[in-house]
């Protein structure tokens, strides 16, 4: 009987020892078995490059499934701190640009994860309109040009009469996109990068017209400038002569 009691005591002791040896130490933040809110946090680092610009300030970087965000500096560098261990997607957003996403980003306990360079493409949209040509039944062949606002227009004759660039301390090279109208006068320019543009329509023997400014901000945005009417230069001359006589 005495041996049975002693044996039972040994079994109980060994069971308690085994239980204690496998218990989680909540003071060890690097133990994967530690409750997640007590585990060491990791971070995600990287660089954002924005298409068509040289200052990468202000892109918002987010760790999906969390409230963690960071904003890029002028060189595009960002750091997301305080991330729990796990697998995430990193998203980048900025007005005038398409959203970019990197999936499968693994964050380990207390470690820094580098995602490298994230290239963010500029948003692109569609600009369209319609042109009517006085005294003609076929409106095809009218030249339509979009030109970036705020640039040096000295090299583009059609833009000489437009407002001068804002005094921002520098000169921006004009970027143009061009097409021609169909027989019904309709036209469209797709894949136009985000920005502000002058719309100019012209045809030999007719007075050039400008639709003013049109702005593309979001990806897939569609803007119509409506209809522009071209009047022949000879008709304008006749009107001027008549006005002078009167």
């Amino acid at each position: 009987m005495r041996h049975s009691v002693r044996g039972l005591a040994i079994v109980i002791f060994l069971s308690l020892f085994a239980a204690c040896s496998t218990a989680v130490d909540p003071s060890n933040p690097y133990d994967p078995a530690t409750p997640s809110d007590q585990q060491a946090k990791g971070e995600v680092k990287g660089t954002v490059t924005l298409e068509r610009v040289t200052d990468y300030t202000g892109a918002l970087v987010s760790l999906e499934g969390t409230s963690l965000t960071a904003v890029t500096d002028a060189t595009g560098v960002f750091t997301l701190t305080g991330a729990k261990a796990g697998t995430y997607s990193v998203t980048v957003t900025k007005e005038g640009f398409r959203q970019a996403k990197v999936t499968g980003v693994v964050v380990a306990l207390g470690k820094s994860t580098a995602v490298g360079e994230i290239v963010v493409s500029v948003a692109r949209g569609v600009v369209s309109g319609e042109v009517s040509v006085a005294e003609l039944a076929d409106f095809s062949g009218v030249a339509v040009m979009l030109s970036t606002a705020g640039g040096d227009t000295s090299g583009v004759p059609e833009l000489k009469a437009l407002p001068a660039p804002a005094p921002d301390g520098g000169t921006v090279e004009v970027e143009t996109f061009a097409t021609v109208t169909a027989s019904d006068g309709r036209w469209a320019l797709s894949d136009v990068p985000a920005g502000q543009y002058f719309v100019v329509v012209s045809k030999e023997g007719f007075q050039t017209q400008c639709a003013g400014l049109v702005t593309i901000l979001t990806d897939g945005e569609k803007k119509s400038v409506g209809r522009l009417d071209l009047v022949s230069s000879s008709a304008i001359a006749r009107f001027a002569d008549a006005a002078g006589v009167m």
Side-chain angles (χ1 to χ4, degrees), residues 34-201:
T34 299
S36 61
D37 60 341
Q38 299 177 36
Q39 292 177 355
K41 304 300 187 291
E43 66 179 19
V44 178
K45 292 183 175 182
T47 304
V48 171
T49 301
L50 302 176
E51 182 189 8
R52 296 169 59 88
V53 298
T54 56
D55 183 351
Y56 306 144
T57 303
L60 179 65
V61 185
S62 305
L63 198 64
E64 285 193 356
T66 76
S67 59
L68 301 180
T69 60
V71 178
T72 56
D73 62 14
T75 62
V77 172
F78 70 88
T79 302
L80 292 160
T81 59
K84 295 180 180 180
T87 302
Y88 300 92
S89 292
V90 174
T91 60
V92 182
T93 56
K94 184 176 173 64
E95 184 177 66
F97 293 84
R98 294 172 175 169
Q99 183 186 82
K101 179 182 289 190
V102 178
T103 60
V105 178
V106 178
V107 177
L109 291 175
K111 300 294 185 179
S112 179
T113 300
V115 297
E117 181 185 28
I118 304 175
V119 179
V120 182
S121 301
V122 69
R124 295 175 185 272
V126 177
V127 181
S128 62
E130 184 179 355
V131 177
S132 68
V133 185
E135 303 175 13
L136 295 181
D138 183 353
F139 300 156
S140 61
V142 177
V144 180
M145 182 176 64
L146 267 62
S147 174
T148 48
D152 178 6
T153 62
S154 59
V156 186
E158 293 86 353
L159 301 180
K160 286 184 177 180
L162 296 177
D168 57 1
T171 299
V172 180
E173 183 180 353
V174 169
E175 184 175 19
T176 60
F177 303 87
T179 187
V180 294
T181 56
S183 59
D184 61 357
R186 297 183 185 276
W187 60 271
L189 283 164
S190 58
D191 207 33
V192 177
Q196 283 192 318
Y197 299 89
F198 292 115
V199 181
V200 178
V201 296

Side-chain angles (χ1 to χ4, degrees), residues 11-45:
V11 170
I12 293 174
F13 173 78
L14 291 175
S15 298
L16 291 174
F17 178 79
C20 291
S21 64
T22 58
V24 174
D25 179 6
S27 64
N28 182 6
Y30 296 94
D31 186 344
T34 299
S36 61
D37 60 341
Q38 299 177 36
Q39 292 177 355
K41 304 300 187 291
E43 66 179 19
V44 178
K45 292 183 175 182

